[in-house]
Amino acid sequence: MGRESGMKYELVIVGALETNCYLVYCEETRACAVIDPGADHEKIISAIADLELKPVIVLNTHGHVDHIGGNSDIIQKYRVPLAMHAADTGMLQVSDYIELSLLLGARNSPPPDRLLAEGDEIAVGRISLRVMHIPGHTAGSVGFVAAGVLFSGDTLFCGGVGRTDLPGGSWKDLEQSIRERILTLPEETIVLPGHGPWTTVEQERDSNPFLT
Ligand SMILES: [Fe+2]
């Protein structure tokens, strides 16, 4: 997949909530974006070393603690900038959710160096990730699109959708984001969610019980 574009990715499952952290990289230059380093930074660092990758940026699909809890360790290790949507920056002090943070081994995240908005392009070596603002699970949820793949965060799962009962959540926005933005992508688009197995736009359009 993504052979012509040179985009590749590696999945690292991290933390007690089994968050999908993705290393998205340019095969040619080995430049890499770290999407959602939620926990287990040693595991992420060792995957980066095994693949001989060079992190250039940390990206958060949204601000929940299980997606941002390892930001600070990865940023300190590689001295790379952090990018996320402005609407979720109020969630980065995980000491506000102390019990959950302790359980997950999460640390406070530094503030983002770059705020992401709809349509932004993020350069990673010779590849580029396009930002899609898909609010609903949180107000600042974003997806990243590249080479026929959508990194969907907790907006859309294989056979499920993100919860909307937490602060900033909205079922109306979530449904609109999924129907109008995600399901309108080419049906063969591979969807890589923030938890659980991968899926495709076609499969979710045809069989996701929350959408049919
Ligand atoms: Fe979440």
Side-chain angles (χ1 to χ4, degrees), residues 67-86:
H67 294 257
I68 63 97
N71 279 359
S72 73
D73 292 292
I74 298 299
I75 288 163
Q76 276 173 27
K77 167 85 179 170
Y78 300 105
R79 307 273 161 200
V80 290
L82 171 66
M84 68 185 300
H85 193 279

Side-chain angles (χ1 to χ4, degrees), residues 12 23 40-52 78:
V12 186
L23 308 174
D40 290 342
H41 60 277
E42 299 93 345
K43 199 172 164 185
I44 298 168
I45 288 167
S46 98
I48 290 168
D50 287 350
L51 291 163
E52 300 181 340
Y78 300 105

Side-chain angles (χ1 to χ4, degrees), residues 4 11 31 43 58 62 69 74 107-108 123 195:
E4 315 91 70
L11 166 63
K43 199 172 164 185
V58 170
H62 63 294
I74 298 299
R107 295 180 60 193
N108 286 336
H195 301 269

